[in-house]
Amino acid sequence: DAGVTQSPTHLIKTRGQQVTLRCSPKSGHDTVSWYQQALGQGPQFIFQYYEEEERQRGNFPDRFSGHQFPNYSSELNVNALLLGDSALYLCASSYNRGPYEKLFFGSGTQLSVL
Amino acid sequence: GNSVTQMEGPVTLSEEAFLTINCTYTATGYPSLFWYVQYPGEGLQLLLKATKADDKGSNKGFEATYRKETTSFHLEKGSVQVSDSAVYFCALSLTPFSGGYNKLIFGAGTRLAVHP
């Protein structure tokens, strides 16, 4: 059983460009969350998707947007990249069965903005 | 606001030493508390959790007790191994009554290095 898979694993972009990161949740999971982990910091919540809708959002600008597809996979889009967007982007999936559902994390996409 | 504060690392120990990593939190409402571990090149893995005051989470020899009176959730292990070398993150999640359904708020992480 595959866990949470993310692609690509590494990405290099320049300032002002746009990027799309992809996530396939663990089999059976219907809820996907995205986190940004800057170097030496803990992950910060970006947003969460359930039933193809954004259910919650953290303190991130509108340049960060997402999408969830009918098969529960998800994309994270970042427009007008800034140097400060360089980070490890983590996807986490879970069942939508309650607040204590265990989150499963992917290995992340390392984004470098030059 | 809601936040988690962890002791700064790195923590360097010899094999079989006792480990404590301090974690305190600030939260509105009734959070659940977690410890996650991140091994090099891997995603975060849930190590243990506690969902209410005085609960003790435990896994793989690690333990942490939810202390509401001191707003703490310190991680302990009696005898560390080289394979425990990783970054450890303390986190909280708010119950639906307080909002933040299954949204984690993480501390900055504490790097543990265990030497033979």
Side-chain angles (χ1 to χ4, degrees):
Chain A
D1 175 28
V4 180
T5 58
Q6 293 186 243
S7 62
T9 55
H10 295 83
L11 203 53
I12 299 175
K13 292 286 188 178
T14 56
R15 280 180 298 174
Q17 285 189 312
Q18 179 263 344
V19 68
T20 297
L21 310 182
R22 295 177 175 82
C23 172
S24 293
K26 184 175 169 61
S27 178
H29 285 184
D30 54 9
T31 303
V32 173
S33 302
W34 287 91
Y35 289 80
Q36 180 195 64
Q37 186 178 8
L39 188 63
Q41 300 297 316
Q44 292 201 19
F45 178 79
I46 303 175
F47 43 53
Q48 183 182 86
Y49 276 83
Y50 172 66
E51 291 189 337
E52 303 180 49
E53 298 280 341
E54 182 184 291
R55 178 160 67 178
Q56 296 185 83
R57 189 178 183 91
N59 294 324
F60 279 81
D62 292 344
R63 297 186 299 108
F64 289 77
S65 63
H67 188 77
Q68 186 178 34
F69 299 94
N71 67 353
Y72 307 126
S73 66
S74 177
E75 289 182 348
L76 164 65
N77 300 293
V78 187
N79 294 323
L81 284 167
L82 303 175
L83 295 179
D85 295 331
S86 295
L88 179 68
Y89 288 84
L90 296 168
C91 172
S93 72
S94 66
Y95 293 110
N96 183 54
R97 295 185 301 207
Y100 309 126
E101 279 300 317
K102 182 178 177 179
L103 288 179
F104 288 78
F105 282 83
S107 300
T109 295
Q110 184 67 54
L111 173 64
S112 299
V113 182
L114 305 178
Chain B
N2 304 302
S3 64
V4 175
T5 302
Q6 296 181 229
M7 63 186 288
E8 289 190 19
V11 174
T12 304
L13 296 173
S14 297
E15 207 165 23
E16 299 184 2
F18 184 85
L19 168 70
T20 299
I21 300 178
N22 291 337
C23 171
T24 57
Y25 68 90
T26 301
T28 55
Y30 306 95
S32 297
L33 301 174
F34 305 82
W35 278 99
Y36 278 81
V37 58
Q38 188 174 36
Y39 297 101
E42 298 183 16
L44 283 82
Q45 300 174 27
L46 178 64
L47 182 60
L48 53 84
K49 71 178 183 183
T51 57
K52 62 182 187 297
D54 299 324
D55 269 2
K56 176 186 282 189
S58 62
N59 186 27
K60 299 180 181 179
F62 291 89
E63 293 183 340
T65 301
Y66 189 143
R67 301 289 189 198
K68 187 178 179 182
E69 64 275 14
T70 55
T71 62
S72 65
F73 193 55
H74 304 321
L75 182 67
E76 296 182 337
K77 187 176 185 183
S79 176
V80 294
Q81 305 300 312
V82 172
S83 57
D84 294 327
S85 299
V87 181
Y88 292 81
F89 292 93
C90 185
L92 68 83
S93 176
L94 296 167
T95 62
F97 296 107
S98 308
Y101 189 100
N102 212 13
K103 175 181 89 172
L104 291 171
I105 297 170
F106 287 90
T110 303
R111 182 174 298 278
L112 170 66
V114 181
H115 298 289

